[in-house]
Amino acid sequence: MTIGDFLVVYERNHVVFLKNRLGTSRRLHTYVGQLAAIELEALTKMQVLEWFHAIGQAKGGNAANQALQQLHSMYVKAEEWELFTGKNPAHRIKKFPKHSRERFIQSNELPWLLKSLADEHPRTEIFFLCLLLTGARRDEARTMQWKDLDLDRALWHKPTTKTGVPHTIPLPAQLVTRLRQLPRINEWVFPSSPNSLNGMRAGLWSGTAVEHAWQKIRRRVGLNDVRIHDLRRTAASWLSIHGSNLQVIQSMLNHRSLSSTQVYARLSLAPVALALNDQCERMLGPVPTNPPLQQTPQWSPSRGEEREQWPG
């Protein structure tokens, strides 16, 4: 059996059940697929080393580390399924050092980002404000349903998260006001745009469409190096800079522990709610005393009169 033959078996009996099966399948075909012609039993550690370092030079250390981990996992399954005997050729290969990303929105950049968001469709603007103000992951917000929200109590109940446990987080008052303005087209808070030409019903906003929207938003104001996940990092960084303790930040981000040696402690939601509302006012300004009722604005691809004056 070649590695290519086993890839078919591995995808059909293992990858298909993974939460991130599409991303895993894409990486397997992109990287492990390079070894497809080699017999499963014939792959040597030296071949793996040369393959691993070639990926590192072409795509970077993180991509190479992920590819190596997937190759290692494949061989573990091959041995478990009695399709391979011998030593795992991907075992005990030193990975590239992992550099943690530290990029987040600075105070002088935030007004420009907010201007760019204001030029978008309300759904798009509120979606990215949700990431910025609550530290949510992209797909947590993308799959948010109306039944998950308790707007009267300003709470968002996430039924599933990356950590595998449900998570409830307070919503800042200004974000609640904005969410109330969104039309309830279907069960999704942030649905896809309905196709008026063929009458298709709006569905779930796709990850690809979200990424495309973000690229347009960041390019407009010269923040080309800011990724969507950096909005989550911005929420945590601003809390830390302005004095919130690490346990509040941990509770907001739904991390299991403050460090690998510290016991996980779940806090009440009150200090998280206070911190997020304070941060929301720092970012967006104070809540108006008597906010006027607003109707959801109509879609306009070029709202905002100052675009031509923005950087980038």
Side-chain angles (χ1 to χ4, degrees), residues 17-174:
F17 301 109
L18 299 179
K19 184 176 180 180
N20 187 27
R21 57 187 178 277
L22 294 179
T24 300
S25 181
R26 176 179 55 80
R27 285 190 292 270
L28 283 170
H29 284 275
T30 301
Y31 300 121
V32 180
Q34 298 173 16
L35 308 171
I38 303 174
E39 292 184 2
L40 201 61
E41 297 275 359
L43 185 65
T44 66
K45 179 163 288 191
M46 183 55 65
Q47 287 175 308
V48 174
L49 277 169
E50 292 177 351
W51 164 82
F52 173 63
H53 286 111
I55 295 173
Q57 290 179 354
K59 298 294 183 179
N62 287 340
N65 290 343
Q66 288 183 350
L68 181 66
Q69 182 59 48
Q70 290 186 326
L71 182 65
H72 185 279
S73 299
M74 275 182 54
Y75 270 87
V76 169
K77 282 297 179 185
E79 184 177 5
E80 179 183 326
W81 295 338
E82 299 181 357
L83 296 174
F84 169 79
T85 57
K87 293 184 178 180
N88 189 326
H91 185 55
R92 299 193 69 177
I93 290 180
K94 187 176 181 179
K95 294 182 178 180
F96 288 98
K98 185 176 181 181
H99 301 289
S100 59
R101 184 171 169 83
E102 298 180 353
R103 183 68 166 101
F104 66 95
I105 304 295
Q106 304 295 316
S107 58
N108 64 313
E109 297 172 327
L110 185 61
W112 296 101
L113 174 61
L114 295 178
K115 282 178 178 288
S116 188
L117 288 175
D119 200 42
E120 293 295 319
H121 186 283
R123 174 205 61 180
T124 304
E125 179 188 16
I126 297 171
F127 175 84
F128 288 110
L129 283 177
C130 184
L131 305 187
L132 178 67
L133 298 175
T134 71
R137 296 179 176 90
R138 183 199 72 174
D139 285 350
E140 289 176 347
R142 191 174 64 84
T143 57
M144 180 194 294
Q145 298 188 39
W146 289 109
K147 67 180 182 180
D148 301 331
L149 297 179
D150 184 346
L151 296 181
D152 292 332
R153 297 173 60 200
L155 295 176
W156 173 16
H157 306 289
K158 305 176 189 176
T160 58
T161 62
K162 186 177 180 180
T163 60
V165 295
H167 180 220
T168 297
I169 187 169
L171 297 172
Q174 292 194 55

Side-chain angles (χ1 to χ4, degrees), residues 3-13 29:
I3 291 175
D5 294 331
F6 182 69
L7 259 177
V8 176
V9 177
Y10 184 68
E11 284 198 275
R12 186 173 61 239
N13 295 280
H29 284 275

